[in-house]
Amino acid sequence: MINELKEDAKQRMTKTIEALGTNFNKIRTGRAHPSLLDGLRVSYYGTDTPLSQIANIGVEDARTLTVTPWEKNIVPDVEKAIMKSDLGLNPSTAGSVIRIPMPMLTEETRKGYIKQARQEAESARVSIRNARRDVLSDVKELLKEKEISEDEERRAQDDVQKITDQYIAEVDKALVAKEADLMEI
């Protein structure tokens, strides 16, 4: 029973780490990366559709993304969606190919993105701690119902804390890597 609770905690914490990686990919660095446009939605025949489902997104060089919509008639809609996004990008269209140059990051914007990355990391830590709290409350419930002994409860608490510490360390490592990536010129 305790092992099932620990596995559940590990799964929830792993999902939190994956979500943090996704959120970090949305934070713009100086380099072009297709995942930057992941959250972008385009009005396609009256439905908000993810950009990746209606266009091919590629990297032309280190500072330029290319977006090639599947249908030529939606090029203006894609261009508008990119301009309206809060990414601060200015696309230029050449026929059916939309080129998106990545502007240089100023010191001020870098610090803003680092602040955003730290907030994302903190929310991931909170999520991991919530998973720990839930598992520990389940363990206490098992103790109340006399399904486990106090020694087993103490051992389970220690094990869950070790798992939590391991995942918090992963969050910290990812944050350090993202900060280094953002400060790279």
Side-chain angles (χ1 to χ4, degrees):
M1 189 66 174
I2 292 174
N3 287 337
E4 291 172 14
L5 292 174
K6 287 192 280 190
E7 278 305 311
D8 179 50
K10 282 182 182 178
Q11 287 176 352
R12 287 177 59 186
M13 292 177 187
T14 301
K15 286 180 183 173
T16 299
I17 297 292
E18 291 169 1
L20 178 68
T22 302
N23 290 340
F24 275 176
N25 282 342
K26 291 178 184 171
I27 297 174
R28 185 165 71 86
T29 58
R31 289 188 302 274
H33 198 275
S35 65
L36 187 65
L37 301 175
D38 278 352
L40 207 58
R41 295 188 161 284
V42 178
S43 179
Y44 181 62
Y45 293 112
T47 307
D48 277 351
T49 310
L51 180 62
S52 59
Q53 292 182 8
I54 60 171
N56 184 27
I57 304 169
V59 179
E60 189 172 276
D61 58 47
R63 294 210 165 278
T64 310
L65 282 175
T66 59
V67 178
T68 311
W70 306 131
E71 297 178 28
K72 205 169 191 167
N73 62 335
I74 61 169
V75 171
D77 296 335
V78 172
E79 196 172 12
K80 279 183 205 162
I82 293 168
M83 281 186 203
K84 285 182 183 176
S85 71
D86 60 347
L87 298 171
L89 302 173
N90 294 315
S92 62
T93 306
S96 63
V97 177
I98 301 170
R99 285 187 174 72
I100 308 167
M102 294 288 132
M104 292 292 290
L105 295 178
T106 64
E107 188 69 25
E108 187 178 311
T109 56
R110 287 178 197 274
K111 286 181 181 175
Y113 287 142
I114 287 175
K115 191 175 186 182
Q116 183 182 351
R118 288 180 180 159
Q119 288 172 344
E120 294 288 348
E122 185 55 35
S123 67
R125 288 187 201 105
V126 168
S127 178
I128 289 170
R129 291 184 199 119
N130 287 342
R132 176 190 63 189
R133 182 197 61 216
D134 293 345
V135 169
L136 291 180
S137 70
D138 290 344
V139 169
K140 284 191 191 325
E141 201 62 39
L142 289 174
L143 180 66
K144 278 183 187 174
E145 295 172 8
K146 306 280 188 215
E147 291 184 30
I148 60 171
S149 67
E150 288 183 18
D151 289 343
E152 288 174 315
E153 181 217 13
R154 180 91 52 225
R155 211 172 300 120
Q157 284 180 345
D158 292 344
D159 290 347
V160 170
Q161 186 60 47
K162 286 176 187 170
I163 292 168
T164 303
D165 292 342
Q166 172 190 345
Y167 281 93
I168 295 283
E170 279 188 47
V171 168
D172 293 340
K173 190 170 78 173
L175 178 61
V176 167
K178 187 64 177 181
E179 284 180 350
D181 195 24
L182 282 167
M183 289 312 289
E184 197 176 285
I185 297 176

